[in-house]
Structure formats: C-alpha cells, structure tokens
Amino acid sequence: GQNIDQPTEMTATEGAIVQINCTYQTSGFNGLFWYQQHAGEAPTFLSYNVLDGLEEKGRFSSFLSRSKGYSYLLLKELQMKDSASYLCAGERTNDYKLSFGAGTTVTVRA
Amino acid sequence: DAGVTQSPTHLIKTRGQHVTLRCSPISGHKSVSWYQQVLGQGPQFIFQYYEKEERGRGNFPDRFSARQFPNYSSELNVNALLLGDSALYLCASSLFGPWGDTEAFFGQGTRLTVV
C-alpha cells in the first residue's frame, strides 16, 4: 500500500511553533512534498524533500527521514494567515505521481 | 503570467448526467494532471497527460476520461454522474512529464455538486 498518515487537526497560538508529522510506507515513494491549502482554494507548494535532513525556508521548515518513512513540517512564528490545511504528499516511485494524505487542519488562535 | 486556470468554478449536475471540466496549464507546461478532492480528504490522482498522451491513471472507473489538446489544455469528462462524484476537481500543471514532477502548480478547482 501507499498510505500517507498525518494528524487530522492541530491548534496553536499566534507566535508559537507547530510541527505537523507525516508517516508513509518507505518502499513506495521517492520524495515528500508539503502543500498548503486555504479553505476553498487550490493547494500551493511549500516544500519538497528528496534527501534526508532539514530544509529551511523562512518560517517554514521540512524534514525527511527516508529510512524511517517520516517527515514533518515545522511552522514557526505562527500568524493568523497560517490557518489552513497542510497536505503531505509522496512522489510515487513507480510513476512519479503524487499520493496525498488527508491533510492536517491547523487553526491559529490569537 | 496566468497560473493554471479551470472552468467552470462551480457546477451543479443531476445524477446520470455528463460533465466536462476544462483546464489551461501555465504557459510552457506540457503536463497536466487531474485530481479529485472530496471534502475533508486529500486530493486523489485521476489522470496525467504529457504531450497529449495519457501517462498515468488512478483508481477511478471508466466513467472518467480525459484528453489533452495540441495547445496542452485538457478536459476531464465524467459520465453517468453519481452523488459520490461530488467533489473539488483540481488540475495541476508541471513543466516536466512523468519523469519528475518536482513541482506541480494547482488551479483553483471546479466544485462539482451532483444532486
């Protein structure tokens, strides 16, 4: 199978840090993507990890461990506009298509 | 520069009807993928087209079909609509074909409601 699992919901306070975990079956995927999707809008690309380690892009960082089938997205200095669904997606080994998790809804409170 | 554009934005159809959804990729992109996103879930892969040929198909019934035109725009067709087909249909374009989708750009989607 090619299940991608991530928590359904997370809540955090403005200015805080939130870490969204994503686990997947190691045999099925090359790299891992993270997308942000605001309600009623299209997903927008945040990050792509194909090698182990941490990739930092401003307030957002993404980590990948290929051997453990584990990734996380770290959101720092949370802002109200960060309230959205965050989708973890694996790039399938056999055909490079994207398989998405169900998404984690992050709610940022004042 | 225009991003990925989809039409229509919203659509209401009756069970048993047919629907055609349209997508124009970013200029210069030759690959178009279609995804179905049911409320509360992540997008599910339906089709990918590259250079007007089907390069991948997800686990969807034959009622779903698609094609890509010489200008790289694409249509998704769904026949004999069921209530369960109600979803947001997303189109994504990428520069490369099936040999490396390092970044896919999504359109705003078409919200299909089947009643």
Side-chain angles (χ1 to χ4, degrees):
Chain A
Q2 296 178 322
N3 289 342
I4 295 186
D5 296 314
Q6 52 183 130
T8 306
E9 294 181 346
M10 301 183 77
T11 302
T13 306
E14 199 174 13
I17 298 173
V18 69
Q19 178 174 314
I20 307 169
N21 296 325
C22 173
T23 58
Y24 64 97
Q25 288 193 293
T26 58
S27 60
F29 300 107
N30 294 324
L32 252 289
F33 290 83
W34 284 95
Y35 281 83
Q36 180 192 60
Q37 187 177 26
H38 285 100
E41 298 184 11
T44 55
F45 171 83
L46 290 178
S47 68
Y48 173 65
N49 293 66
V50 66
L51 300 175
D52 286 356
L54 186 67
E55 296 273 346
E56 296 188 77
K57 277 188 184 180
R59 295 189 300 112
F60 293 4
S61 303
S62 57
F63 172 84
L64 178 67
S65 169
R66 294 170 62 96
S67 62
K68 295 181 180 178
Y70 169 67
S71 174
Y72 68 72
L73 180 70
L74 194 69
L75 314 180
K76 293 179 276 189
E77 300 170 19
L78 279 171
Q79 301 175 10
M80 300 299 287
K81 68 178 181 179
D82 298 330
S83 292
S85 178
Y86 291 85
L87 299 162
C88 175
E91 182 184 36
R92 302 190 318 208
T93 305
N94 57 344
D95 60 9
Y96 297 98
K97 305 300 183 290
L98 296 180
S99 287
F100 284 86
T104 299
T105 300
V106 172
T107 302
V108 181
R109 294 182 174 167
Chain B
D1 276 344
V4 180
T5 57
Q6 293 186 241
S7 63
T9 54
H10 294 83
L11 199 54
I12 300 175
K13 289 285 190 178
T14 305
R15 275 181 300 175
Q17 284 188 312
H18 162 272
V19 68
T20 298
L21 310 181
R22 296 178 175 83
C23 172
S24 293
I26 292 172
S27 179
H29 284 193
K30 299 182 179 180
S31 177
V32 169
S33 299
W34 287 95
Y35 289 82
Q36 180 195 65
Q37 187 175 23
V38 173
L39 194 63
Q41 297 184 20
Q44 298 296 312
F45 171 72
I46 310 175
F47 285 110
Q48 184 184 50
Y49 277 78
Y50 177 71
E51 287 285 13
K52 291 150 280 183
E53 291 187 5
E54 182 183 303
R55 295 293 185 165
R57 173 186 285 254
N59 189 23
F60 280 81
D62 292 343
R63 299 184 296 109
F64 288 76
S65 64
R67 55 180 175 167
Q68 186 176 34
F69 299 99
N71 65 354
Y72 302 108
S73 67
S74 178
E75 284 182 354
L76 176 69
N77 295 283
V78 187
N79 293 324
L81 283 166
L82 303 174
L83 295 180
D85 296 331
S86 296
L88 179 68
Y89 288 85
L90 293 163
C91 173
S93 81
S94 58
L95 187 59
F96 302 112
W99 303 282
D101 260 354
T102 52
E103 185 171 348
F105 295 86
F106 284 86
Q108 292 291 95
T110 295
R111 173 72 63 188
L112 172 65
T113 302
V114 182
V115 297

